[in-house]
Amino acid sequence: MKPLALLASAGIVIAAPAMAQETKPQVTAQSPDGSIVLTVTIDNDSRPMWSLTRKGKLLIAPSKLGFILTDGLNMTRGFAIESSDTAKGDDTWEQPWGERRFVKDTYNQVTVRFKQGKTYGTRLMNVTFRLFDNGVGFRYEIPEQPGLKTMKIADETTEFDIVPKGTAWWIPGGEWNRYEQVYQKTPIDAVSTAHTPITMKLEDGTHLSFHEAALVDYAGYWFKRATGQTFRTTLSPSSRGPRVVRDLPFATPWRTVRIADDAEGLVDNDLELNLNEPNKLGDVSWVKPGRYIGIWWGMIRNDWTWAEGPKHGATTERTKQYIDYAAKHKFRGVLVEGWNKGWNGDWFGHGDEFSFTQATPDFDIEAVTKYAAKKGVKLIGHHETGGNIANYEANMDAGFALYQKLGVDTVKTGYVADHGGVIANTDYPGGPVGPVRMEWHDGQRQVEHHLAVVEDAAKHHIAIDAHEPVKDTGLRRTYPNWVSREGARGMEYNAWGKFANGPDHEPTLVYTRMLSGPMDFTPGVLSLEGANGPLASTLAKQLGLYLAIYSPIQMAADFIEQLDKYPREMNFIESVPTDWAESHLIAGEVGDYAIFARKDRASPRWFVGGVNDATARTVTLKFDFLDAGKSYKASVWKDGEGATYETEARHNIAYDTRTVKKGDTMDVWLAPGGGTAIRLEPR
Ligand code: NOJ
Ligand code: CA
């Protein structure tokens, strides 16, 4: 053990028990600025407990740590603290693409070693806590030990006893539609079982988000309310019985809490990325951010079909038209769905007939990719699986090989099936084929599957955009070809019902789903028309979405004939980057509105913009992020007079050009369901 003085200077104190028998040892540690203080103890029932204070106030009251096993006594009681170790980190690392190029990573760390008594089999369990100034992450590390070779985990019992009262924004975990649900705003003690990230605003203004980082070979967890404001992790189920099976030694994903004074501190926060391993793929210059259009909205609206027939969307001819439009309007890619065989029957939740190599007779994939190459455009590939990963795992490599041969470097995947509806027939990717097993979209099996796909795609220099995915836990740092995913209600819902997503949806997504990572939301429905009524959006909001909802691949989702009707809006879309040097939330409140300033990675331009909820408001934007001594031409797209998502006035848009410099301010009126977008170019 290190001398006490040294430990104290590292922000770590191990209290020396006055009478070893009576006083429980306790380990404390603090964040680099001292604002967050962790205490780890053993309670009167010999249970490992953790708690947090922030700025001297109790935030997380003593909360339990541990596991329930299917084949042995629980790892919840009978523990003592054996020892602890500290470490520190202070680093800046570079992202190949992202919301910002450089990420700061500064923390204090303590590993606490627990040992269960003899009557519990003397099991060993370590917990490493990493304390940042804007949050905390901790994970279990189960070391090699006699008598425990494989852990069969029935559930994890990590508790979070949140002390101050407050409000939560959340979607339920384990429900039929996976992550695709409308967010609820309730008191914290009215949450049931939630997916993460779940966001909270406490009475004193503190903002919290609970989530996880580096979800690898483990089940995703749901945030289950036990009583009052006490929650615990409950793991997504598995067909095997135990929700997680792991050979020792292993580490769980990090359990994370972002902690900030305000909405900005919650959003401009890289906690989960910092808790992931560095890039494992080496040179990833083949991963290319960019804008795209697609043969897609027509199927979502039911004007065209994925299946073959008179309304088939993916024809050679139509794809060439889309390629022409992409070339003319500076889109890097054209997504084509339904080009392959297997869509004709009942594919939803079945998917055994999907081919990943054979095209329909009216789609000449060789001709189309050749034509695209001539025009400097990329076909974006598509692999819908219907949730049938048995079929996909057997055939995906051939699918990626074909795409690679044809120059396709980005593939959208899909897992359309209800909860618990993933069809697997092996215990693990590449394993022996066995009977059908039904799995969950966020269970251990599907977590393994996604990484197997991403790793196989990487071998073919292909980037992945997964729909109906598992939640994002920052793995894009380790696998930078995992560029985007869905994992929330995207634009598609607006095709299916009037105001289906509602005007609050996107300003809520920014502070919830988006804290986990990029989303392929697919903005840019400039017609504002779904198949069953209009979108809960003004025209300016469609542009603001490009700044509010980050993704390195960003769609303009409408039909090209519709996009063509809006040349002034297309002027913005054709210029908006998808890869940034810096990003900051400059105005916003959870669920109400969100305005970002983002600096292009490839030019000195800045872009400002975002989205509003149903309440009209005027926001004062401060241009204090601009470079001093330069003037910028500001081109502004904003809600026009009387604009509102509720009526035809949703199309009212206004334009403005002016000169701004660092320190200037600009008042922008945001309509109900509105938004704004501003391009700033040095003069
Ligand atoms: C659901 C996805 O979200 C959507 O984008 C896709 O078009 C369909 N599945 C079909 O794969
Ligand atoms: Ca979907």
Side-chain angles (χ1 to χ4, degrees):
M1 199 186 283
K2 293 181 185 171
L4 283 180
L6 244 184
L7 287 167
S9 73
I12 313 292
V13 180
I14 299 205
M19 287 167 57
Q21 257 83 357
E22 280 164 36
T23 317
K24 304 290 179 201
Q26 152 175 317
V27 178
T28 70
Q30 60 186 40
S31 62
D33 70 0
S35 61
I36 298 175
V37 178
L38 163 82
T39 303
V40 181
T41 55
I42 294 291
D43 78 355
N44 292 334
D45 289 322
S46 317
R47 291 185 289 214
M49 310 288 280
W50 71 289
S51 62
L52 279 190
T53 62
R54 180 167 186 259
K55 298 184 179 174
K57 274 166 67 177
L58 189 61
L59 185 64
I60 307 284
S63 299
K64 299 179 194 75
L65 298 163
F67 298 94
I68 303 170
L69 307 183
T70 60
D71 62 347
L73 291 180
N74 294 350
M75 288 170 69
T76 51
R77 287 172 188 265
F79 279 101
I81 295 177
E82 285 279 291
S83 64
S84 66
D85 249 320
T86 64
K88 277 166 175 274
D90 188 6
D91 191 17
T92 298
W93 56 278
E94 188 175 349
Q95 300 204 81
W97 50 265
E99 303 94 315
R100 57 188 62 82
R101 182 159 175 194
F102 296 106
V103 178
K104 253 193 97 37
D105 181 15
T106 307
Y107 63 83
N108 286 337
Q109 176 174 299
V110 59
T111 299
V112 184
R113 294 193 193 84
F114 299 97
K115 186 174 183 180
Q116 256 179 326
K118 266 198 193 124
T119 50
Y120 292 89
T122 57
R123 277 98 138 238
L124 306 174
M125 176 177 90
N126 304 337
V127 185
T128 291
F129 294 86
R130 211 171 264 190
L131 294 111
F132 303 79
D133 292 338
N134 57 8
V136 172
F138 60 93
R139 69 177 186 189
Y140 300 89
E141 293 161 356
I142 311 298
E144 238 176 313
Q145 51 193 287
L148 188 60
K149 221 176 138 292
T150 303
M151 242 170 100
K152 295 187 178 162
I153 302 172
D155 214 350
E156 187 188 301
T157 57
T158 306
E159 258 183 14
F160 305 84
D161 183 355
I162 303 156
V163 178
K165 296 268 173 271
T167 304
W169 288 261
W170 58 284
I171 51 171
E175 290 306 321
W176 72 273
N177 213 9
R178 309 165 311 266
Y179 302 97
E180 295 179 11
Q181 304 176 58
V182 173
Y183 278 81
Q184 306 184 35
K185 177 185 177 185
T186 68
I188 295 172
D189 63 8
V191 174
S192 58
T193 297
H195 274 302
T196 69
I198 173 172
T199 294
M200 297 179 187
K201 185 176 173 186
L202 307 179
E203 274 171 359
D204 67 357
T206 305
H207 287 59
L208 302 178
S209 162
F210 296 87
H211 190 43
E212 59 183 305
L215 172 53
V216 177
D217 201 2
Y218 202 81
Y221 85 78
W222 304 333
F223 199 67
K224 181 182 178 202
R225 196 169 66 84
T227 173
Q229 294 200 144
T230 304
F231 293 79
R232 78 160 170 94
T233 51
T234 184
L235 301 172
S236 179
S238 163
S239 68
R240 286 196 281 208
R243 294 174 180 197
V244 169
V245 178
R246 286 293 296 270
D247 288 337
L248 276 52
F250 75 94
T252 67
W254 297 87
R255 281 65 191 90
T256 61
V257 195
R258 289 192 191 189
I259 309 171
D261 285 330
D262 49 25
E264 187 187 336
L266 195 69
V267 170
D268 295 356
N269 190 318
D270 300 303
L271 183 72
E272 291 80 10
L273 280 178
N274 278 330
L275 289 166
N276 272 273
E277 298 294 322
N279 174 6
K280 271 192 182 163
L281 301 182
D283 175 17
V284 285
S285 52
W286 44 271
V287 177
K288 303 271 193 219
R291 295 179 297 273
Y292 72 101
I293 53 175
I295 297 180
W296 178 74
W297 187 237
M299 282 87 89
I300 293 292
R301 281 178 39 114
N302 215 10
D303 304 293
W304 306 335
T305 58
W306 284 283
E308 294 162 58
K311 293 203 304 179
H312 188 211
T315 63
T316 302
E317 197 194 334
R318 181 174 289 123
T319 307
K320 286 186 175 171
Q321 281 167 14
Y322 269 70
I323 290 167
D324 289 343
Y325 188 87
K328 191 166 159 211
H329 293 277
K330 302 183 190 155
F331 289 96
R332 180 171 191 273
V334 174
L335 167 72
V336 182
E337 295 195 4
W339 68 270
N340 54 325
K341 289 197 172 154
W343 294 86
N344 290 352
D346 186 10
W347 58 270
F348 186 113
H350 293 280
D352 43 319
E353 284 175 11
F354 279 122
S355 163
F356 304 100
T357 49
Q358 281 178 296
T360 57
D362 52 352
F363 188 80
D364 185 341
I365 193 166
E366 306 257 346
V368 157
T369 44
K370 239 189 225 155
Y371 188 77
K374 211 172 72 196
K375 296 268 176 167
V377 172
K378 290 278 180 187
L379 189 76
I380 296 192
H382 187 230
H383 285 169
E384 175 57 59
T385 68
N388 191 324
I389 65 172
N391 180 39
Y392 191 38
E393 284 172 358
N395 297 298
M396 67 186 182
D397 187 67
F400 290 134
L402 172 69
Y403 275 143
Q404 184 178 24
K405 191 182 93 190
L406 298 172
V408 173
D409 60 11
T410 308
V411 173
K412 171 176 168 180
T413 59
Y415 298 87
V416 173
D418 289 339
H419 58 173
V422 170
I423 302 163
N425 64 357
T426 59
D427 273 347
Y428 52 91
V433 174
V436 167
R437 299 169 183 281
M438 299 307 293
E439 303 290 354
W440 288 66
H441 283 78
D442 49 3
Q444 185 181 10
R445 180 66 179 79
Q446 187 66 346
V447 165
E448 282 181 286
H449 167 77
H450 279 291
L451 267 196
V453 171
V454 162
E455 285 179 327
D456 192 43
K459 287 186 196 140
H460 296 281
H461 285 192
I462 285 173
I464 294 295
D465 163 27
H467 279 233
E468 300 77 41
V470 63
K471 61 183 156 181
D472 194 341
T473 58
L475 282 165
R476 63 179 153 138
R477 179 175 178 189
T478 316
Y479 303 93
N481 67 324
W482 201 345
V483 286
S484 198
R485 74 186 81 196
E486 193 187 37
R489 285 166 78 102
M491 177 63 81
E492 60 187 10
Y493 280 81
N494 292 321
W496 301 328
K498 182 183 176 186
F499 302 158
N501 277 342
D504 296 357
H505 184 59
E506 296 90 347
T508 304
L509 277 186
V510 167
Y511 303 96
T512 51
R513 158 69 183 82
M514 295 313 296
L515 302 185
S516 71
M519 177 175 178
D520 187 31
F521 180 83
T522 74
V525 174
L526 301 184
S527 60
L528 305 176
E529 275 307 318
N532 293 303
L535 279 54
S537 169
T538 65
L539 186 51
K541 186 176 190 172
Q542 288 302 303
L543 305 187
L545 283 169
Y546 288 90
L547 295 158
I549 309 280
Y550 171 68
S551 175
I553 57 162
Q554 198 72 278
M555 192 177 200
D558 217 333
F559 296 106
I560 53 175
E561 294 78 9
Q562 291 294 347
L563 297 178
D564 230 11
K565 292 182 190 161
Y566 299 87
R568 294 185 84 165
E569 285 64 43
M570 286 307 294
N571 177 282
F572 171 78
I573 293 176
E574 287 170 26
S575 72
V576 67
T578 59
D579 191 19
W580 305 101
E582 285 178 52
S583 291
H584 309 283
L585 182 82
I586 57 167
E589 289 295 341
V590 180
D592 296 343
Y593 66 109
I595 309 285
F596 285 85
R598 302 192 192 264
K599 188 178 190 203
D600 186 10
R601 213 186 258 214
S603 81
R605 292 180 305 175
W606 281 86
F607 288 75
V608 171
V611 292
N612 191 30
D613 69 357
T615 307
R617 71 187 83 236
T618 298
V619 290
T620 302
L621 304 178
K622 292 198 187 81
F623 293 107
D624 43 11
F625 49 85
L626 293 173
D627 286 349
K630 273 191 195 160
S631 25
Y632 291 78
K633 175 184 166 194
S635 310
V636 184
W637 289 257
K638 58 185 179 182
D639 289 318
E641 217 184 307
T644 170
Y645 75 95
E646 288 171 298
T647 69
E648 279 303 306
R650 67 184 68 88
H651 292 277
N652 293 3
I653 190 162
Y655 312 98
D656 186 13
T657 307
R658 59 173 93 167
T659 299
V660 297
K661 52 184 190 340
K662 186 181 173 77
D664 286 354
T665 61
M666 186 192 289
D667 285 348
V668 180
W669 179 73
L670 301 172
T676 189
I678 305 171
R679 183 173 62 218
L680 296 146
E681 300 160 273
R683 286 220 183 249

